[in-house]
Amino acid sequence: MEEKITRDNIAESLFNKQLEIIGKTRIDAVESFNWRFYFTITGEQYLEFKKYAISLIQKVFKCNKTKALNTFDWYWKMFSVRFKD
């Protein structure tokens, strides 16, 4: 059974989802020096993740789309991977 996503674990859940979309795991991130540089995401994958994340943020924090977008932007700046050329 999957753990319920709450305010306490949403960052972890978003991180796992981001890695899942690019075909990586948290173990890969731990084992990779400077994983944010070496892991990449395509524009299509980014849009998929952004749509998922904004919806989840709105649901968990019970906020409007603007606040969810701002929260997502902060998350992306802090925990994102590079875009694939």
Side-chain angles (χ1 to χ4, degrees), residues 12-70:
E12 181 181 350
S13 178
L14 288 174
F15 185 70
N16 289 337
K17 182 66 173 182
Q18 176 183 220
L19 293 177
E20 177 186 316
I21 287 173
I22 64 171
K24 302 288 183 183
T25 65
R26 286 178 25 183
I27 300 296
D28 296 329
V30 169
E31 292 176 347
S32 175
F33 177 75
N34 203 4
W35 61 270
R36 288 183 71 187
F37 179 77
Y38 293 109
F39 293 2
T40 59
I41 193 167
T42 65
E44 187 176 301
Q45 291 170 325
Y46 168 77
L47 292 176
E48 175 188 346
F49 176 65
K50 183 176 181 178
K51 181 179 177 183
Y52 169 82
I54 289 171
S55 174
L56 184 63
I57 291 166
Q58 281 183 285
K59 180 180 173 187
V60 170
F61 290 103
K62 296 176 179 47
C63 64
N64 63 34
K65 190 167 187 171
T66 301
K67 289 188 185 218
L69 277 167
N70 290 338

